[in-house]
Amino acid sequence: MATTPEILSVEERDGTVVTYERELTGSPFPPPGRELTSRETGALLTVLRGLATVPGTEAMRRLTVQGDDRPLWQGHTRFPDALAAVVERATRRHGDLLAAHVPDLSARVAETVRALRALPGTAVTVVHGDLVAPNIHVDDAGHPVAVLDFGFFTTAGDPAFEAAVTAAIYDMYGPYAGEHVATLTHLFATELHHPPETLALYQTAYALTTYDLFSSDGGDGHFAWCAALLKTHS
C-alpha cells in the first residue's frame, strides 16, 4: 500500500499553525491522454483496493466534510443515511442557484435521498474523497507510492463511494474527461464488483454535496462540472 501523510510535529508561529510532515516520494502521472494507460488504471485499482482494507474508525466518523456544519456521521449509524442528510443540507445552501442549471432539481434531490437510504449496509472503510491525478504519486514503474491531500471529503464510508468519486474526478477538466468517467466507472464496477447503479448514485450525491464549495455564484469550473454531471445522470 502507498504511504500517506504523517504529521511529525506541530508548532505555532506568529499565530499560524505549522506542521512538519514526512516527505512523500514519487510524482503524479502527467495529464491523461485520450486512452488511459494500463499504468494509470492499475495504480488507481491498487489505491482503491488498498484504501478499502483500512477499517473506518470513530475518529474518521467525527470528521466534517467540506462545506458542511457538522460531522458527517452525527446522528447516523449508516453511511448512506449520513450521506443522504448531507445531500439535503447541501442543496439547501444554494439550491436556487443549482436549480437554474439542473432541470427538476427538487425531484432529483428527493430521488437521490430516497435511493441512498434504500442502499444496503456495507463495510465501512477509510474514504479519501479526492483522488484526482495529482494526489496519487507513483514511482518510475508506475506503482503508487504515496496518496496525499486528505481532507476534502475524507470520512469513513462505503468503498463504492470512493470508487465512484474517483471515476468521476480523476480527470475533471481534460478534453476527454467524459470518456474517462465512463471508462473508469465501468472498470471499477467490473474489477471491484460495485453495482454500476450504485456508482452512478454516489456520483450524483457527490455533485449535489460539493457544487458550491468554491463559490456561491456558480462562476467556477467545479460548479459547471457538477451541473454537467447531474444533467448527464438525469
Side-chain angles (χ1 to χ4, degrees):
M1 176 59 185
T3 56
T4 56
E6 179 184 358
I7 296 176
L8 303 177
S9 63
V10 180
E11 295 181 6
E12 183 174 335
R13 297 289 184 89
D14 299 323
T16 299
V17 176
V18 178
T19 63
Y20 296 87
E21 303 182 18
R22 177 179 55 182
E23 182 178 4
L24 299 179
T25 60
S27 58
F29 283 111
R34 181 161 197 163
E35 299 294 329
L36 293 171
T37 68
S38 59
R39 283 189 173 190
E40 289 174 282
T41 57
L44 287 170
L45 285 168
T46 296
V47 170
L48 290 172
R49 287 179 172 132
L51 291 172
T53 68
V54 181
T57 65
E58 184 57 35
M60 295 174 195
R61 288 171 169 83
R62 291 198 296 269
L63 294 173
T64 301
V65 298
Q66 292 287 336
D68 203 24
D69 62 357
R70 70 199 72 176
L72 186 146
W73 281 78
Q74 183 175 304
H76 302 282
T77 59
R78 297 187 339 119
F79 175 73
D81 298 333
L83 186 59
V86 175
V87 167
E88 291 178 316
R89 292 196 295 273
T91 51
R92 285 197 294 265
R93 290 194 302 254
H94 300 100
D96 291 345
L97 175 66
L98 188 60
H101 297 266
V102 179
D104 301 319
L105 178 66
S106 60
R108 293 290 306 284
V109 171
E111 174 56 25
T112 300
V113 168
R114 183 206 63 77
L116 286 170
R117 289 175 175 160
L119 286 176
T122 64
V124 175
T125 63
V126 62
V127 169
H128 179 286
D130 195 27
L131 292 176
V132 292
N135 290 343
I136 300 173
H137 284 198
V138 297
D139 60 17
D140 291 340
H143 302 132
V145 293
V147 176
L148 59 153
D149 204 14
F150 287 74
F152 185 76
F153 212 114
T154 301
T155 185
D158 183 354
F161 178 81
E162 184 87 275
V165 172
T166 302
I169 70 173
Y170 178 71
D171 175 24
M172 296 183 75
Y173 304 125
Y176 310 111
E179 296 176 35
H180 293 160
V181 173
T183 296
L184 291 175
T185 300
H186 176 75
L187 176 70
F188 297 162
T190 302
E191 294 292 327
L192 303 176
H193 309 293
H194 298 311
E197 60 273 16
T198 299
L199 298 182
L201 174 62
Y202 279 147
Q203 289 169 355
T204 296
Y206 176 84
L208 289 171
T209 53
T210 68
Y211 69 96
D212 63 343
L213 295 188
F214 295 98
S215 73
S216 59
D217 62 4
D220 64 283
H222 186 82
F223 178 92
W225 180 90
C226 289
L229 184 145
L230 290 168
K231 286 185 279 191
T232 299
H233 284 6
S234 61

